Amino acid sequence: MTGEPSYVELGVPDVPAATAFYGTLLGWAPESMGGGASVATSTLGIGIHGGDEDRHFEVFFAVPDLDAAMVSITALGGGFDSEVRDSEGFGRWVECHDDQGVRFGLREDG
């Protein structure tokens, strides 16, 4: 469905520390993935990547047409923090920010 959260990215300085913390706290069973980790919950996939001094959770929202959504972001005063990327198994996506600088991502429904 359009506008539904479709993925969450957790950026941390230390992946093993984060997987131990959230694994114990929330019962996550992370799988190692190229220097990071991946968690499958019943509602969302969660990616954990390391080396991120920003320390953030970033929510990706599903949209049916990424290009049209990007036009809307610009018209509404938002902007972009990455180029559009196309990742195998994940689809087309872009990191954005709203008109107040709050970071989020958009992911094209596949």
Side-chain angles (χ1 to χ4, degrees):
M1 173 185 257
T2 300
E4 293 290 322
S6 66
Y7 190 77
V8 176
E9 183 72 24
L10 172 57
V12 296
D14 184 336
V15 172
T19 58
F21 180 89
Y22 290 103
T24 301
L25 177 67
L26 302 173
W28 289 358
E31 294 183 24
S32 292
M33 184 178 84
S38 177
V39 178
T41 73
S42 63
T43 56
L44 290 172
I46 301 169
I48 304 171
H49 69 268
D52 193 331
E53 295 302 323
D54 287 343
R55 298 169 170 86
H56 71 280
F57 271 107
E58 182 175 2
V59 178
F60 282 79
F61 298 96
V63 295
D65 183 337
L66 185 60
D67 297 321
M70 291 174 68
V71 169
S72 293
I73 286 172
T74 302
L76 292 166
F80 306 97
D81 300 321
S82 75
E83 299 289 324
V84 173
R85 298 183 181 137
D86 194 347
S87 300
E88 186 177 333
F90 190 71
R92 288 184 73 222
W93 58 279
V94 66
E95 292 176 300
C96 319
H97 59 269
D98 67 14
D99 61 342
Q100 296 183 65
V102 177
R103 192 161 125 177
F104 66 98
L106 294 179
R107 181 178 173 197
E108 191 169 83
D109 289 341

